[in-house]
C-alpha cells in the first residue's frame, strides 16, 4: 500500500526566492528539475494535478486520492494518470485550486521538493518536502545547497497547517508566516 510520510520545511518569506534559487542552482551546477503544477481539490474528495517538467512538451494529468492515517503515520496515497478531457471535466468540480513551481533536488539519497506557491506569477509561500520511509528516518539538510539550508525557518512532520490545500489560501499562508517570525 502506498504510504506517504514527509518532513516539511518552511522556507523564509521572500518574493524573489525562486529567482535566487534558480540562479544559485545554475551557477553552482546542481542537478535539478522544475515542474509547473496546477492542482485542484475536488468537492467529493481527491485532487487532480497537471504537471509539466521543464524538459517536457506536454503536461501529465493525474487523479490522486489521499487518506490520512493516525497522527505521525503519514497518508495512504493513490495516483493514476488521467486524460486531458477527464482533467478539464474535473476542474469544473474543484473547490480549491493552486499553482506552484516545484524544484526537485537530489541529495543524500533523498529527493527534496521545493514548492514555490504562486498567485499571478508571484510567490507567496515557499515550502520544501522530503519523503521518508518511517518517522525515525530524519534526513540531514547539511548537503543541501546553502540557499535552501539557510532559509529554513521551521521543520515539521505531520503538521496539517502546511498542506498544499490549506496553503492554496494566500490569507492562511500569510498568517502562518506572521506566526513563525
Amino acid at each position: 500500500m502506498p504510504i506517504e510520510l514527509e518532513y516539511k520545511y518552511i522556507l523564509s518569506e521572500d518574493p524573489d526566492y525562486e529567482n535566487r534559487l534558480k540562479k544559485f542552482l545554475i551557477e553552482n551546477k546542481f542537478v535539478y528539475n522544475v515542474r509547473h503544477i496546477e492542482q485542484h481539490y475536488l468537492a467529493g474528495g481527491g485532487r487532480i494535478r497537471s504537471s509539466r517538467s521543464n524538459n517536457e512538451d506536454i503536461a501529465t494529468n493525474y487523479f490522486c486520492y489521499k487518506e490520512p492515517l493516525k497522527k505521525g503515520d503519514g497518508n495512504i496515497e493513490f495516483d493514476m494518470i488521467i486524460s486531458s478531457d477527464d482533467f478539464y471535466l474535473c476542474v469544473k468540480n474543484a473547490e480549491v485550486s493552486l499553482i506552484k513551481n516545484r524544484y526537485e533536488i537530489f541529495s543524500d539519497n533523498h529527493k527534496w521538493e521545493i514548492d514555490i506557491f504562486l498567485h499571478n506569477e508571484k510567490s507567496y509561500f515557499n515550502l520544501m518536502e522530503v519523503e521518508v520511509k518511517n518517522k525515525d528516518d530524519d534526513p540531514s539538510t547539511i548537503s543541501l545547497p546553502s540557499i535552501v539550508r539557510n532559509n529554513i525557518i521551521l521543520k515539521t512532520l505531520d503538521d496539517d497547517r502546511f498542506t498544499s490545500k490549506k496553503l492554496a489560501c494566500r490569507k492562511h499562508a500569510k498568517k502562518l508566516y506572521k506566526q513563525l517570525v
Side-chain angles (χ1 to χ4, degrees):
M1 185 171 298
I3 305 248
E4 177 189 67
L5 182 64
E6 55 194 14
Y7 279 97
K8 295 185 181 202
Y9 301 79
I10 291 56
L11 303 175
S12 57
E13 184 178 21
D14 176 357
D16 197 42
Y17 183 71
E18 183 174 16
N19 291 328
R20 293 187 315 107
L21 174 65
K22 197 181 317 181
K23 182 180 177 192
F24 182 93
L25 295 172
I26 291 168
E27 287 176 355
N28 291 281
K29 298 179 175 42
F30 273 88
V31 176
Y32 71 98
N33 186 41
V34 182
R35 295 194 157 283
H36 181 74
I37 297 171
E38 177 185 338
Q39 196 159 289
H40 306 274
Y41 294 87
L42 304 177
R47 72 169 186 242
I48 54 171
R49 172 187 286 172
S50 180
S51 174
R52 184 176 42 80
S53 175
N54 55 340
N55 56 7
E56 297 172 333
D57 293 330
I58 299 172
T60 304
N61 302 304
Y62 299 90
F63 171 79
C64 174
Y65 178 77
K66 186 186 283 192
E67 183 70 29
L69 298 171
K70 69 180 185 183
K71 191 89 171 142
D73 287 342
N75 301 295
I76 298 171
E77 185 171 280
F78 299 96
D79 285 309
M80 64 184 237
I81 294 176
I82 60 173
S83 71
S84 291
D85 289 342
D86 289 344
F87 176 82
Y88 289 109
L89 180 65
C90 289
V91 166
K92 296 174 188 174
N93 292 314
E95 286 186 323
V96 177
S97 299
L98 65 87
I99 294 175
K100 60 187 175 182
N101 287 334
R102 172 170 286 167
Y103 288 76
E104 299 168 341
I105 300 171
F106 298 88
S107 176
D108 283 345
N109 298 320
H110 287 93
K111 178 171 81 169
W112 299 81
E113 299 174 337
I114 301 168
D115 288 345
I116 311 294
F117 289 78
L118 303 169
H119 177 69
N120 293 333
E121 298 183 21
K122 291 189 168 92
S123 161
Y124 68 88
F125 200 86
N126 305 315
L127 173 78
M128 179 172 64
E129 301 175 344
V130 62
E131 224 171 282
V132 294
K133 297 203 183 315
N134 64 64
K135 55 186 159 194
D136 298 324
D137 179 11
D138 189 357
S140 171
T141 58
I142 294 294
S143 64
L144 286 173
S146 60
I147 191 161
V148 176
R149 193 176 61 249
N150 295 339
N151 280 282
I152 295 171
I153 58 174
L154 178 71
K155 172 184 172 183
T156 183
L157 178 69
D158 207 24
D159 186 335
D160 72 349
R161 295 178 300 167
F162 301 104
T163 64
S164 288
K165 184 176 182 177
K166 288 185 178 172
L167 293 173
C169 173
R170 293 181 314 283
K171 194 175 190 177
H172 173 75
K174 293 295 180 191
K175 181 180 172 186
L176 287 174
Y177 268 138
K178 284 183 181 176
Q179 291 172 355
L180 295 173
V181 289

